[in-house]
Amino acid sequence: MEQQLDLLPLALPGLELKRPIVISGPCSAETEEQTLETAHALAKRGFKIFRAGIWKPRTRPGAFEGVGTKGLPWLKKVKEETGMYIAVEVANANHVYEALKFGVDMLWIGARTTANPFAVQEVADALAGSDVPVLIKNPVNPDLELWIGAIERVNRAGIKRIGAIHRGFSSYDKTEFRNNPEWPIPIELRRRIPELPIITDPSHITGKSESIYSLSQEAMDMNFDGLIIESHICPEKAWSDARQQVTPEQLTEIISKLVLRRSKIGDTPRVTLDELRQKIDKLDNQLLEILKSRMKISEAIGKYKYDNNITILQNRRYDEVMNNRKTQAEEAGLSSEFVIRVFEHIHEESINRQNVIMNKELARD
Ligand code: PEP
Ligand code: MN
């Protein structure tokens, strides 16, 4: 489906947003002192946009759910004392009214809210008539259409300065990430809406302060536009997300280490890149030919199984194939998870082909 969005470049009054846009501050505003101290430490190091959660959507009741409206005057003070721009998360109409009343410069919609079209619509309706920039986090579930839907709802309310925040996706499996990055999803978002800035949230993707740098670099290598990173004056004492917050000092180190590679290939030595791309095209052709031959053999196997009355799925053979491919992958220096994923898809298609053959034979009998 074509996206019909009416967007303007993401901007804040009087501040040019240059790549990488950096937004930082605590997961939650906890006390006036913690909020102001963190903001001063960030402002001193040149950071311009301050984030802080006031209303916190927590997974289980009883956890710290944010200080609520009473934190908004603290943020106003941050603005007055440091000159930083302030950003907060909004999840309902009342949050929007309160935040705008206190002069919040930028709003973001959290991942749990994006997953709920009713909530997004309520926020969008409350935004009508305002021109505050809004960032929209991906929904907790890996659903690009839902993410785009939320962007459309906000845009239809008349908000033109919109950015997307890539914060990763929940999964039942325990992985090294708090939320799996699933890079193909924001990459597809970029393809679908090229003019939409994408800001990565490495804090909520990794869940670990020591991995923020490598994820941030990855986001830059994807040519994304910015980073939203949680920072706290004393991370180990944070009331929420303590494990993933960095100090303002560590943030400076992370940002200064980032390498911003060229996004245009015009002035790079084209010949080499063209040559490499030709090699890739050739190998892809070979891969396709091999897949074609493999599927032909699958069909022959399907016929054999039909003639001999054998079930299509043979668990022992399947386990054997997967185990062998895993070992072979490791020996070849390939990621075994990647190779297993590829072979799972190949196997699925092979089963489909065998099914088609069996049904054809059946129809002929
Ligand atoms: C947050 O930014 O503190 C937050 C609650 O994030 P998310 O919506 O990504 O879980
Ligand atoms: Mn957080």
Side-chain angles (χ1 to χ4, degrees):
M1 201 171 52
E2 268 296 296
Q3 270 69 59
Q4 301 209 315
L5 295 172
D6 182 9
L7 296 175
L8 285 174
L10 195 60
L12 282 163
L15 178 70
E16 204 194 329
L17 293 180
K18 281 202 308 251
R19 183 170 175 270
I21 302 165
V22 179
I23 303 170
S24 189
C27 176
S28 310
E30 299 160 3
T31 64
E32 183 169 347
E33 295 68 43
Q34 166 258 4
T35 306
L36 281 158
E37 270 183 47
T38 309
H40 276 287
L42 289 167
K44 197 172 85 185
R45 291 175 168 82
F47 296 104
K48 299 274 191 283
I49 314 173
F50 186 74
R51 63 147 283 157
I54 293 287
W55 302 281
K56 302 299 298 176
R58 305 312 301 279
T59 304
R60 304 279 301 273
F64 171 58
E65 294 190 319
V67 292
T69 310
K70 92 165 192 234
L72 288 168
W74 309 342
L75 294 181
K76 202 161 165 239
K77 234 176 170 170
V78 164
K79 205 167 150 168
E80 288 159 3
E81 289 186 12
T82 70
M84 288 183 90
Y85 294 81
I86 51 181
V88 296
E89 172 176 349
V90 289
N92 62 35
N94 193 46
H95 296 166
V96 175
Y97 300 139
E98 291 289 331
L100 295 181
K101 200 164 80 196
F102 281 87
V104 170
D105 302 286
M106 193 180 234
L107 305 177
W108 84 84
I109 297 181
R112 291 160 192 78
T113 307
T114 307
N116 176 355
F118 288 125
V120 175
Q121 194 57 54
E122 179 183 321
V123 168
D125 292 342
L127 284 166
S130 141
D131 60 359
V132 66
V134 179
L135 307 177
I136 300 162
K137 286 201 169 195
N138 64 254
V140 281
N141 50 324
D143 185 340
L144 177 61
E145 299 310 317
L146 197 56
W147 195 2
I148 292 177
I151 294 164
E152 285 172 329
R153 284 177 200 277
V154 170
N155 191 225
R156 283 183 191 187
I159 301 295
K160 296 187 179 179
R161 302 195 190 275
I162 297 180
I165 301 180
H166 163 227
R167 57 73 87 185
F169 302 86
S170 303
S171 79
Y172 186 62
D173 298 331
K174 286 272 154 280
T175 70
E176 63 177 294
F177 299 105
R178 179 174 176 197
N179 292 292
N180 284 333
E182 313 283 7
W183 293 102
I185 298 179
I187 290 170
E188 176 62 9
L189 177 66
R190 164 69 27 108
R191 200 189 63 77
R192 297 262 295 264
I193 317 175
E195 68 276 29
L196 180 75
I198 301 181
I199 292 171
T200 292
D201 174 346
S203 309
H204 291 89
I205 294 177
T206 91
K208 296 193 269 301
S209 54
E210 64 274 18
S211 308
I212 305 281
Y213 167 69
S214 59
L215 254 139
S216 303
Q217 183 62 56
E218 244 179 290
M220 291 302 102
D221 290 341
M222 298 297 158
N223 199 20
F224 290 170
D225 304 275
L227 300 161
I228 177 165
I229 299 178
E230 287 185 345
S231 60
H232 192 289
I233 198 72
C234 185
E236 58 280 14
K237 295 220 174 102
W239 298 0
S240 59
D241 289 354
R243 191 59 191 85
Q244 71 194 29
Q245 303 203 53
V246 296
T247 61
E249 204 180 338
Q250 288 167 329
L251 180 71
T252 307
E253 200 189 318
I254 290 168
I255 301 300
S256 61
K257 271 199 322 198
L258 288 177
V259 180
L260 296 186
R261 296 181 222 282
R262 263 189 300 237
S263 63
K264 303 255 180 308
I265 52 175
D267 50 354
T268 55
R270 275 306 287 266
V271 195
T272 339
L273 189 58
D274 281 346
E275 275 169 10
L276 292 172
R277 284 180 168 164
Q278 276 164 17
K279 283 189 182 156
I280 290 276
D281 287 346
K282 212 162 132 196
L283 287 173
D284 281 354
N285 281 338
Q286 289 173 6
L287 272 174
L288 287 171
E289 282 305 317
I290 290 174
L291 282 173
K292 195 170 132 194
S293 314
R294 198 185 189 282
M295 291 307 156
K296 285 251 163 327
I297 296 178
S298 294
E299 286 176 4
I301 291 181
K303 171 91 173 57
Y304 179 90
K305 285 178 180 165
Y306 177 82
D307 291 343
N308 294 280
N309 223 9
I310 301 173
T311 58
I312 293 183
L313 187 63
Q314 297 287 318
N315 284 339
R316 237 192 40 214
R317 166 73 184 154
Y318 179 68
D319 291 345
E320 199 179 286
V321 170
M322 286 305 182
N323 283 332
N324 286 345
R325 300 302 172 262
K326 192 162 174 254
T327 318
Q328 290 168 315
E330 278 156 7
E331 283 167 8
L334 290 166
S335 137
S336 52
E337 279 123 61
F338 159 68
V339 170
I340 290 296
R341 249 185 294 141
V342 170
F343 276 95
E344 276 167 358
H345 286 296
I346 293 179
H347 184 257
E348 194 184 324
E349 177 61 8
S350 168
I351 298 259
N352 289 343
R353 292 287 185 118
Q354 295 185 38
N355 250 322
V356 171
I357 293 294
M358 283 227 176
N359 291 335
K360 244 196 227 153
E361 293 296 326
L362 209 59
R364 195 176 299 160
D365 286 351

